Each structure stands twice: as structure tokens, then as C-alpha cells.
Amino acid sequence: HSLRNIDELCASIVRSHRETSQYRVEELQALRWKLFSREEIQAYQNKSVDDMWQHCAIRLTDAVQFVVEFAKHIPGFRMLSQNDQIALLKTGSMEVVLVRMSRFFNTENNTVFFDGKFAGAEIFKSLACGDLITAVFDFAHGMCALKLTEQQIALFSALVLINADRPCLEDRSRVQRAQKSVELGLMHILHRDNQENLMHKLYQRMAVLRSLCSLHMEKLRWFSQRYPLTAHSLFPPLYKELFS
Ligand SMILES: CCS(=O)(=O)c1ccc(CC(=O)Nc2nc(-c3ccccc3)c(C(=O)c3ccccc3CC(C)C)s2)cc1
């Protein structure tokens, strides 16, 4: 790996992150204090469980779509077989969405960007999965504490996605080579920013992400059993394909 290759790899991942980020940081900074009124919060809390799940699943699928685009522009990802690309997206896309969402977490009032404004955890009450919501908010807090730059988030997102330990990979060694390149890219960026100490913290974050996403799958299984009609006919197809 000549330095030039690593520089080019970093540049293409950062460009792809920027072009597929759905919202830019400065865009949402301007909205940071746009909060839901008491009436709007009540309206969300009065939604039925299946209505709120469907509402969220649609928004989450929008966010996942942008992560699929991000993945397709990553050099090491594009060269993999279709099946391996799907296998990596099945387990990694939700994790990248969570990393991306954490950028817009407002740690001063514990709110996340949702439906055009910033929402506290109480808005998600009717989802009936408080432990998942708490885990998402805690994760976002932890990510904000690292104060990552957009370039560091771009490389970290690519590393979350291109992970040779994922299940059901056909050509694991090929994914390992792509993962190694992205790891070198992330280390290169952290070295340049004089923040190598972040590397082990980012690996800890990846472990939290894995447990968070298995909690999401567990809740989705619970929901699909209780509301089979909504889960099978009203959820976006991409959501069902990736998370079921
Ligand atoms: C991701 C790209 S971005 O530009 O950063 C961006 C782009 C767009 C938005 C707006 C947005 O869709 N926000 C959502 N917030 C939450 C949420 C919900 C509970 C706590 C914390 C955030 C959504 C979810 O559906 C969600 C997310 C994580 C785990 C669980 C769920 C709900 C289950 C039922 C699927 S969607 C925000 C950020």
C-alpha cells in the first residue's frame, strides 16, 4: 500500500460520505433548537404501537437507502460479489445509520433529529421498546463524546460496513483485504489528526453497535409476531429484506 493509494482511498470514502449523507452537519446545526411542542409530543405518544413502528421504519429505510449508496461508492465494497455486498449491508447498514444519526444528537437537551425537528426519548414511547431507545440515545452520547470529524466518521462508517467477521460471506479473504485497506485509511487519518488513541475507542464503539443492532433485530422479531400484517405488508420492502 503506497501512501498515495491510502490517500486516494480516504479521499474517495470521504467524498462518498459527503455525497450520501442525507443531511449536512451545518444544515442540522441550524435546526438544533427546533423542538416538538407538547401537543406534537402528545400526538406521537397517542399513536398505536404498529402506527409508530411503521412511521419509524419508513424513515429508517430512507436513511438506510443513503447508506447503500455510500457503500456502492467505496472502492473495496464495489469489487465484492453481489451476495457479499448484501451480507455486509444486512448487518452493517443499521450500524452506519446509527453512527450517522449520532452526529446530530444534541447532548445539551438529549434530543435526536426526527421528522424535521429534535425529539427527546419520550416521543418514542409508543414504540414499546424503551430499552432499545435508551440504548440508541446512550450510544449517540458516547459517539458525541469522541468529537469525531466528518472525515473520521466517513472512514469509521466504511470500517463498520466492510467487516470480514460478518456471517455468511462467500469470499471472506477478499473482504479481509478490503477491511485492511480501510483500517489503514482510518489509522492514516487519525495519525494525521494526532489522535491515534481514538482507534481502540472506535473498536469499543463497534462492539456497542453490534449489541445495539441485535437488540433492534430482537425488537423487530417481537413486533413482527405481534403485528404480522403491519410487518409483512406495510413495512418498506428494503427494511424487510435487510432486517428480517
Ligand atoms: C442517518 C443519516 S442523517 O442525515 O444523520 C439523518 C437523517 C434523517 C433523520 C431523521 C430520522 O429518520 N430519524 C430517526 N430517528 C430514529 C430514532 C428512533 C429512536 C431513537 C433514536 C432515533 C429513527 C428510527 O426509526 C430508529 C432509529 C434507531 C433505532 C430504532 C429506531 C426505531 C425502530 C422502531 C426502527 S428514524 C435523522 C438523521
Side-chain angles (χ1 to χ4, degrees):
H1 287 289
S2 76
L3 193 61
R4 202 170 54 79
N5 289 359
I6 290 295
D7 260 336
E8 274 169 15
L9 176 78
C10 292
S12 72
I13 290 173
V14 168
R15 185 171 48 251
S16 165
H17 170 76
R18 196 176 42 245
E19 286 165 3
T20 62
S21 66
Q22 199 172 359
Y23 289 87
R24 282 195 326 284
V25 179
E26 48 279 353
E27 226 177 324
L28 290 191
Q29 290 298 5
L31 293 172
R32 260 166 93 74
W33 298 99
K34 201 169 171 215
L35 306 175
F36 287 104
S37 67
R38 289 220 49 72
E39 296 72 31
E40 287 170 318
I41 293 171
Q42 280 298 336
Y44 281 113
Q45 293 177 335
N46 294 341
K47 276 177 177 288
S48 63
V49 175
D50 54 332
D51 260 2
M52 190 60 176
W53 263 84
Q54 189 190 352
H55 187 84
C56 288
I58 290 165
R59 274 136 199 81
L60 198 63
T61 305
D62 285 350
V64 165
Q65 226 112 19
F66 284 88
V67 171
V68 173
E69 280 313 303
F70 167 64
K72 280 162 51 179
H73 290 76
I74 301 174
F77 185 87
R78 227 178 10 228
M79 293 173 335
L80 302 174
S81 71
Q82 281 292 328
N83 290 347
D84 280 354
Q85 291 184 27
I86 300 267
L88 291 179
L89 283 167
K90 248 177 120 52
T91 39
S93 59
M94 178 71 173
E95 293 183 2
V96 175
V97 164
L98 289 164
V99 170
R100 287 179 158 204
M101 281 186 179
S102 305
R103 288 178 300 164
F104 303 123
F105 186 71
N106 184 338
T107 51
E108 289 159 70
N109 58 10
N110 273 350
T111 54
V112 293
F113 185 61
F114 177 76
D115 264 1
K117 294 183 182 175
F118 277 77
E122 70 279 1
I123 268 205
F124 301 102
K125 204 168 72 179
S126 52
L127 289 172
C129 49
D131 47 352
L132 173 63
I133 304 313
T134 308
V136 174
F137 274 67
D138 289 349
F139 174 76
H141 240 291
M143 283 304 290
C144 289
L146 299 181
K147 296 195 182 333
L148 299 182
T149 65
E150 279 301 289
Q151 298 206 356
Q152 292 166 347
I153 286 174
L155 268 294
F156 180 58
S157 300
L159 187 56
V160 164
L161 212 51
I162 304 184
N163 176 346
D165 301 335
R166 298 297 191 194
C168 14
L169 289 176
E170 288 169 344
D171 189 345
R172 200 169 294 276
S173 61
R174 204 154 160 203
V175 180
Q176 254 155 0
R177 280 198 300 279
Q179 178 183 332
K180 200 86 214 108
S181 304
V182 175
E183 269 168 353
L184 282 174
L186 180 55
M187 280 192 259
H188 174 67
I189 291 260
L190 291 178
H191 176 75
R192 188 198 61 187
D193 300 340
N194 219 346
Q195 287 181 296
E196 284 101 326
N197 63 314
L198 272 182
M199 202 63 186
H200 83 279
K201 287 186 183 139
L202 289 175
Y203 277 106
Q204 283 169 341
R205 290 279 100 206
M206 285 170 78
V208 173
L209 266 176
R210 268 197 281 284
S211 64
L212 228 179
C213 287
S214 52
L215 186 56
H216 167 241
M217 304 298 277
E218 186 192 310
K219 294 295 170 190
L220 176 59
R221 270 192 297 276
W222 161 79
F223 176 83
S224 308
Q225 271 153 18
R226 267 192 60 180
Y227 300 92
L229 193 71
T230 309
H232 296 298
S233 54
L234 295 176
F235 273 11
L238 179 62
Y239 182 91
K240 286 188 292 187
E241 193 184 320
L242 287 180
F243 303 128
S244 301

